[in-house]
Amino acid sequence: MLGKLLKHEWREIWKIPAILLGILLVVSVFAGSTFFAPVWDSELSGLGILAMLVWMLYYFAIIGVSIGVTLYLAIHFYKTMFTDEGYLTHTLPVTSHELLLSKILPMMAWQMLATVAILISVAIFGSMAILALHSDGLTFREVYRQIFEVLAEEGFFGNMSLIGFITSMLCAFLAGIVSGAMMIVGSVSIGQMVGKHKVLGSIGAYFAINTVVQILSCIVFVPVVVFKVSNEMPESVFDVLTPCYFGMSVLAILVSVGLYFLSEYLIRRKLNLD
Amino acid sequence: MSELVEIRNLTKVYDKKKTALNGLNLTLPRGRIIGLLGPNGSGKTTLIKIMNGLLTPTEGEVLVGGEKPGPVTKAHISYLPERTYLSAGKKVSELLAFFEDFYEDFRPERAREMLASLSIDENAKIKTLSKGTREKVQLILVMSRDADLFVLDEPIAGVDPAARDYIIRTIITNYNENATVLLSTHLISDIENILDEVVFLKEGNLVLQATVEEIREQKGKSVDAYFREVFAC
């Protein structure tokens, strides 16, 4: 049944996030193309202002897409689980685990796609800027080849501290995807326990969980940093940041697992649709 | 076992203040059309929602075919809520595919036949249909299953008399004799002729469970007239 649930869930949600990500990529190309225009050499001062406005638009597009995708997924989850549509959702012959996973997995997939799309758009924007401003006649491929050469010369690829740091960043990114989805699911599920103000309850729960996670992060990180610095002077900043990011990942996963089981319990044992 | 539904000491209290069901005990047999009758606020919808696992009881339990509400019972109950649960962005054909995927007892050919008889376009999106047509689509989906228990919450409220006739006809034609139909309404005169049994609820308590024949013979009245007497304000 999980496969069927996932199929229908994906079909229902893919359009809006895909459109948002498409818009972001178009805006990034548009913003990047301003570097090819004779913006700064032109006697028309309006051109410079126009270019800056386009860059601002790009900046807001990144933020808008990031928030927009999360908000859309949160509203969709709330709508299909706890409003009139929930009457169909909760009368399907499926377990609460299957139901939750069918919501959480596409949510994670879209959050990951959104992050990747943002990285691609930054790469497009940055590459276009480099091509236009610093590398007369270079191609995209040559720009990236040169970047890799510089990184290799600086000992980037053999630096174990740096590799460890990047691995920890990657873990934190994946854990962030998981916890991002679980924060939505957890807070909306907890919000349903709040009498008549369920939406307000969900928003309150989101900020409450966030605050608790922040406090826990401080409790974990401060001793790690103090221990690292007081025992021996770290060789680089990565030696301090790497354990912090790994710690952050473990904490995010633990909170996510907790929120998953809490949400499943609330849906299975405490469901009360209006 | 001829009992399909067993309700034991079922209590539901909303917000620790309002008692919707008060220690209700009730059994519903197989193969009957049962009217769940009572004035507004008598607990009909609450009972139905608990049977379908949409509400958590404060106390007591409901067993359908010996099972508590869950995936097993949901595979055997076809439920028509009092509100529209169809996603506005979906096409009618997508809803047919959805029901076919999840309910083994769903009969798409039956649904298509009914849609055609009402001239409802399968390619139409739900949001383009009128409120009445949406309700008909929902009824068609629900009645196109070979379920053991059909739970219909106010299926004829708020529809015109012609649609009312169609709905009643659909219920009679599509349920099989081993299935039970539990039908909640306060428009008794419209459905009285198709009922085998009635359950009267008042303020969350069971007032009466009897066959329609018993009421007619013992009270010398129609169910509608007896209902008006019992619930006279």
Side-chain angles (χ1 to χ4, degrees):
Chain A
M1 282 294 186
L2 180 59
K4 289 176 184 174
L5 284 169
L6 283 169
K7 180 182 82 178
H8 288 282
E9 181 70 8
W10 187 262
R11 274 186 193 165
E12 206 164 325
I13 66 167
W14 74 271
K15 281 181 194 159
I16 302 286
I19 290 170
L20 287 175
L21 300 189
I23 290 172
L24 175 66
L25 294 177
V26 170
V27 172
S28 62
V29 171
F30 181 52
S33 66
T34 57
F35 292 106
F36 292 97
V39 173
W40 308 113
D41 305 333
S42 170
E43 287 176 4
L44 294 168
S45 58
L47 268 182
I49 294 168
L50 199 65
M52 284 173 73
L53 284 175
V54 173
W55 297 340
M56 273 177 67
L57 173 74
Y58 172 57
Y59 175 72
F60 286 120
I62 290 179
I63 295 172
V65 162
S66 181
I67 295 173
V69 169
T70 306
L71 209 60
Y72 171 74
L73 295 171
I75 291 169
H76 176 79
F77 177 73
Y78 169 73
K79 208 174 144 200
T80 53
M81 293 289 279
F82 300 111
T83 65
D84 288 357
E85 286 182 34
Y87 278 69
L88 179 57
T89 308
H90 293 290
T91 47
L92 294 173
V94 298
T95 64
S96 42
H97 283 291
E98 287 171 326
L99 208 53
L100 265 184
L101 287 172
S102 74
K103 302 285 175 191
I104 293 165
L105 295 176
M107 240 183 231
M108 288 178 187
W110 273 113
Q111 294 214 325
M112 190 178 280
L113 285 171
T115 312
V116 170
I118 288 170
L119 290 175
I120 291 172
S121 97
V122 170
I124 291 171
F125 182 77
S127 307
M128 289 176 89
I130 292 168
L131 279 175
L133 302 176
H134 298 294
S135 335
D136 290 336
L138 280 182
T139 62
F140 272 106
R141 200 175 159 187
E142 284 164 339
V143 168
Y144 282 104
R145 192 173 52 78
Q146 284 187 6
I147 291 171
F148 274 91
E149 276 174 13
V150 170
L151 290 174
E153 276 172 25
E154 295 296 322
F156 181 87
F157 299 108
N159 186 339
M160 289 313 288
S161 300
L162 194 55
I163 289 170
F165 172 68
I166 290 169
T167 312
S168 71
M169 285 271 285
L170 205 62
C171 284
F173 162 68
L174 292 173
I177 297 289
V178 174
S179 68
M182 283 320 304
M183 286 281 283
I184 294 173
V185 169
S187 47
V188 174
S189 303
I190 293 167
Q192 302 320 299
M193 302 298 115
V194 184
K196 286 175 183 167
H197 307 286
K198 295 181 190 302
V199 175
L200 213 60
S202 303
I203 296 168
Y206 185 85
F207 285 110
I209 297 167
N210 227 349
T211 308
V212 171
V213 172
Q214 296 298 330
I215 293 168
L216 285 174
S217 301
C218 288
I219 293 171
V220 172
F221 301 144
V222 172
V224 170
V225 174
V226 170
F227 178 80
K228 270 276 176 190
V229 175
S230 59
N231 267 12
E232 48 178 312
M233 206 52 200
E235 285 180 17
S236 72
V237 69
F238 301 135
D239 291 342
V240 178
L241 288 178
T242 303
C244 285
Y245 277 119
F246 275 125
M248 199 193 288
S249 309
V250 171
L251 184 65
I253 294 296
L254 286 176
V255 170
S256 301
V257 170
L259 285 174
Y260 175 82
F261 283 106
L262 176 65
S263 306
E264 195 275 333
Y265 171 78
L266 294 177
I267 287 167
R268 183 168 43 87
R269 300 295 297 268
K270 300 283 177 191
L271 184 69
N272 281 302
L273 288 191
D274 287 335
Chain B
M1 188 181 75
S2 64
E3 306 303 345
L4 180 61
V5 180
E6 285 183 72
I7 295 160
R8 295 177 190 154
N9 190 33
L10 193 66
T11 300
K12 179 66 186 176
V13 182
Y14 290 108
D15 299 329
K16 296 179 182 171
K17 282 180 280 188
K18 191 180 173 295
T19 303
L21 291 173
N22 190 14
L24 187 70
N25 287 292
L26 186 66
T27 55
L28 303 177
R30 291 175 190 273
R32 314 297 295 266
I33 300 182
I34 302 165
L36 182 61
L37 313 177
N40 293 331
S42 56
K44 302 187 297 288
T45 297
T46 299
L47 172 61
I48 284 173
K49 283 164 76 174
I50 292 175
M51 286 171 68
N52 283 285
L54 300 175
L55 279 181
T56 309
T58 310
E59 268 180 55
E61 64 177 4
V62 173
L63 300 176
V64 179
E67 298 267 354
K68 285 186 178 181
V72 176
T73 62
K74 288 170 189 177
H76 296 286
I77 302 177
S78 195
Y79 168 50
L80 180 77
E82 57 182 340
R83 54 185 81 193
T84 309
Y85 60 34
L86 306 175
S87 170
K90 277 188 177 164
K91 288 180 181 175
V92 176
S93 57
E94 289 170 337
L95 287 163
L96 293 183
F98 186 87
F99 268 65
E100 201 175 353
D101 263 356
F102 289 103
Y103 300 109
E104 282 182 18
D105 56 12
F106 183 69
R107 303 288 170 256
E109 64 285 355
R110 192 190 298 170
R112 289 201 174 89
E113 216 172 277
M114 284 196 267
L115 287 168
S117 72
L118 286 175
S119 306
I120 298 173
D121 181 8
E122 267 189 55
N123 293 312
K125 281 198 173 181
I126 294 298
K127 63 182 165 196
T128 65
L129 302 175
S130 68
K131 187 174 173 278
T133 311
R134 285 181 204 191
E135 284 174 3
K136 283 174 192 160
V137 170
Q138 196 160 291
L139 178 80
I140 288 170
L141 291 167
V142 168
M143 294 311 296
S144 296
R145 288 180 58 193
D146 281 332
D148 291 332
L149 176 62
F150 292 89
V151 182
L152 315 175
D153 195 359
E154 302 282 2
I156 53 171
V159 295
D160 59 79
R164 216 171 272 182
D165 287 346
Y166 176 79
I167 292 167
I168 292 168
R169 227 173 27 246
T170 308
I171 295 167
I172 300 168
T173 347
N174 289 288
Y175 104 103
N176 69 69
E177 58 188 25
N178 294 317
T180 287
V181 177
L182 180 66
L183 200 156
S184 123
T185 187
H186 46 256
L187 300 166
I188 303 164
S189 58
D190 286 304
I191 54 137
E192 185 167 345
N193 291 337
I194 66 164
L195 296 179
D196 297 313
E197 268 188 34
V198 290
V199 171
F200 281 9
L201 287 186
K202 187 179 185 181
E203 293 169 0
N205 294 296
L206 179 67
V207 175
L208 169 87
Q209 181 175 17
T211 64
V212 171
E213 269 177 35
E214 280 170 353
I215 291 176
R216 283 179 188 150
E217 281 171 15
Q218 290 171 13
K219 312 289 177 190
K221 290 174 181 165
S222 68
V223 175
D224 189 30
Y226 187 56
F227 179 89
R228 286 169 198 272
E229 185 185 305
V230 171
F231 295 104
C233 299

